[in-house]
Amino acid sequence: MNDPIIQGIKLSRWYGVVMGLNNIDFQIHPGITGLVGPNGAGKSTLIQIITGQLQPSSGSLKVFGETPWNQPSVLRRIGYCPERESLPEHLKPMDWLSGLGQISGIPRTAFPELGIRLLKRVKLGEAHWKKRLGQYSKGMRQRVKLAQALMHSPDLLILDEPMNGLDPMGRQDIADILKSLAHEGISIIISSHILAELESLCKNVMILNWGRVIASGAKNEIRSDLSQWAEELSVRCDDPQKLARILFDGDHVLGFDIQKEEQRLDFRIKNPSKFYQNWNQILQDSGLIVFEISSKSQSLNQIFNKVTT
Amino acid sequence: MNHESTLETTLDKPSIHPNFFGILAGIWKLTWKSQLTWKKVYGLLSNVLVLPLLSYFAFSSSAPMAQIGGQSNTFYMFTVDFYILLVLPITCLTVFGGMVRDDLQEDTVCFLLTRPMKRWQFFLTKYLSHLAWTQITTALTLLAFALAGTLRGVDDVPNLIFTLLIIQIPAVVVYGAISSLMGLTTKKYLVFGIIYGFVVEFGIGQIPTNINTLAMTNHLKSLLAKYPPLSEHLGVEPGSSLTAVTAIAAVTIVFLVISSVLFTMREYNHSDEMSK
């Protein structure tokens, strides 16, 4: 695997007595990474530290090997699209982009061509270019925010909840843009509180809850890591009725369904942590011949919902 | 979306060389563009015109004021005592005190602070952009005063206004630097700025020892006194220009350095600002 582009070591961030991030260790590698967690999980705090807007309370965070706070060499390589919808209401998109571009070190002469290409790339209709940003809809705001993040050709693009408020077509547009950017070799971190939004887009996922990293890595690794949390199992064995009786007597199940023809027992677990401690022993003691065990919670989203609620 | 059309607009890497003057140009553009909305232009016009209009009407309607020392003295009271020495510092307090906080309240500061620049560069270019804008609006106000004075037949208006146009430069520079530190230090910068004005400019500035050099108003008065009618009007002897300018420059630099260090160390975020 490539070297990490972001590395957090024992990273914590407090807001007074409220903990935003709690002593987390993680690495983010090149590619598209989904940052997922419910509201208040610490996603925006982490993103603000990565983009140099906040400092860690303790621990360290390195982006491209450097601390991002007050570090132009790191910020030069980052494009940031915040969650907030606020834009300078009185400015037109071209003025805003050229102002921000000049701040980023892009020569004035690069505009308006660069602005036009950016707005075309994010699919903002030409009819809206003369309007002030205050007149923009949510979807148009997301597009122009993305344009400003792409302006200085960053190596790492960070998008905080970019799908918020978008209609399905807008979501598809943004997803397509992100895929084409990834195709060009730009690393992307995209946060969302809805995992399903990211599942088709991201190679890697980091799940946060209550300021801690619950799981991190490639999607399938996470799925197998978290499959221990599955609450519904399906077991094919030589005597599914006997297995059902054992589980029922041991007070392990909430309900079950026997498929005689397939020699299969589907059951819902009552207390997963207690059940999985005893599961191997139960099978050994039963003397059953087991052909297959599978989790019914195959969707990453289902697992995410379980571990974050 | 058509994937091909996306690739058609794929961006070549622009040549990027972040530098102080580029940052200044960008911040300046965003600053003046943001001032030119109809709502703000109306506000600006009223700010620029209201005092000159009052001074114009004061001559015909305010006989007691005119009796103080004739028309010229009444005009000096408007332009110097009231505008340069009172309204201008308060204007600086609102403009420079709010220069970062306005972006925080608008919740757009994240677009600026994530650009490739040092935080002190952001602060300093913000200061310089607001400095340029305030100099322009102050000059427009003084030109409106010039028109009012000329129409009312005040003596030697061109020389008076020329003096004031020169003095407004150090006045805005130093009051702006002081105000920007107030703005970074506290959300209640207007209250603290007014307290500072009473204590330092009106209080310490009146003490007849060297400590009164801490009051920038005294240095500005000594520069204003270079124009003899104002020396008489203010009751101040013209002092050394070098001393006055050095003191103003030193205070400006000290306040800007403190502000830059503070801005580099502190986090400023929208939620804190909106919790006031």
Side-chain angles (χ1 to χ4, degrees), chain B residues 58-75 77-78:
Chain B
F59 292 114
S60 54
S61 61
S62 174
M65 285 185 79
Q67 285 163 9
I68 293 168
Q71 286 197 335
S72 296
N73 231 11
T74 309
F75 192 63
M77 284 172 68
F78 268 100

Side-chain angles (χ1 to χ4, degrees), chain B residues 151-172:
Chain B
L151 290 174
R152 285 300 183 190
V154 175
D155 296 336
D156 200 19
V157 169
N159 278 330
L160 169 70
I161 296 301
F162 178 74
T163 305
L164 297 184
L165 284 170
I166 298 295
I167 299 304
Q168 75 158 52
I169 296 170
V172 177

Side-chain angles (χ1 to χ4, degrees), chain B residues 236-254:
Chain B
V236 174
E237 290 300 315
S240 156
S241 300
L242 183 67
T243 307
V245 170
T246 305
I248 287 170
V251 168
T252 302
I253 290 167
V254 167

Side-chain angles (χ1 to χ4, degrees), chain B residues 13-135:
Chain B
K13 285 220 170 201
S15 69
I16 294 175
H17 305 286
N19 62 78
F20 185 80
F21 293 104
I23 298 166
L24 180 58
I27 296 278
W28 166 240
K29 180 170 192 171
L30 296 178
T31 301
W32 76 261
K33 286 269 183 186
S34 69
Q35 300 298 328
L36 293 182
T37 61
W38 283 116
K39 195 176 161 190
K40 289 194 175 180
V41 167
Y42 291 142
L44 175 66
L45 281 176
S46 62
N47 282 342
V48 165
L49 295 177
V50 70
L51 282 177
L53 277 174
L54 278 176
S55 72
Y56 176 83
F57 289 115
F59 292 114
S60 54
S61 61
S62 174
M65 285 185 79
Q67 285 163 9
I68 293 168
Q71 286 197 335
S72 296
N73 231 11
T74 309
F75 192 63
Y76 297 157
M77 284 172 68
F78 268 100
T79 51
V80 180
D81 300 351
F82 191 55
Y83 183 66
I84 293 286
L85 298 178
L86 184 65
V87 173
L88 188 57
I90 293 172
T91 304
C92 288
L93 193 56
T94 53
V95 171
F96 290 87
M99 70 182 185
V100 174
R101 293 189 183 275
D102 288 350
D103 286 324
L104 286 170
Q105 286 190 340
E106 210 180 27
D107 203 10
T108 53
V109 77
C110 59
F111 294 108
L112 300 167
L113 291 181
T114 52
R115 298 282 141 193
M117 60 181 158
K118 291 277 187 187
R119 291 172 74 92
W120 71 262
Q121 291 177 318
F122 171 75
F123 171 78
L124 206 56
T125 51
K126 267 270 177 192
Y127 167 80
L128 291 173
S129 299
H130 282 75
L131 180 66
W133 184 253
T134 311
Q135 296 285 10

Side-chain angles (χ1 to χ4, degrees), chain A residues 30-36 146 157 159 161-163 166 170-183 186-192 194-205 219 300, chain B residues 3:
Chain A
I32 305 187
T33 302
L35 198 56
V36 195
L146 184 57
L157 184 63
L159 304 110
E161 305 269 3
M163 307 294 192
L166 292 181
R171 284 166 189 247
Q172 190 55 50
D173 277 357
I174 297 283
D176 286 341
I177 292 165
L178 297 182
K179 280 177 192 166
S180 81
L181 288 167
H183 183 71
I186 296 174
S187 293
I188 298 170
I189 296 175
I190 174 167
S191 86
S192 177
I194 304 166
L195 183 63
E197 273 181 0
L198 305 183
E199 204 167 353
S200 64
L201 205 60
C202 301
K203 193 175 84 179
N204 301 307
V205 175
K219 272 188 303 190
L300 203 53
Chain B
H3 192 65

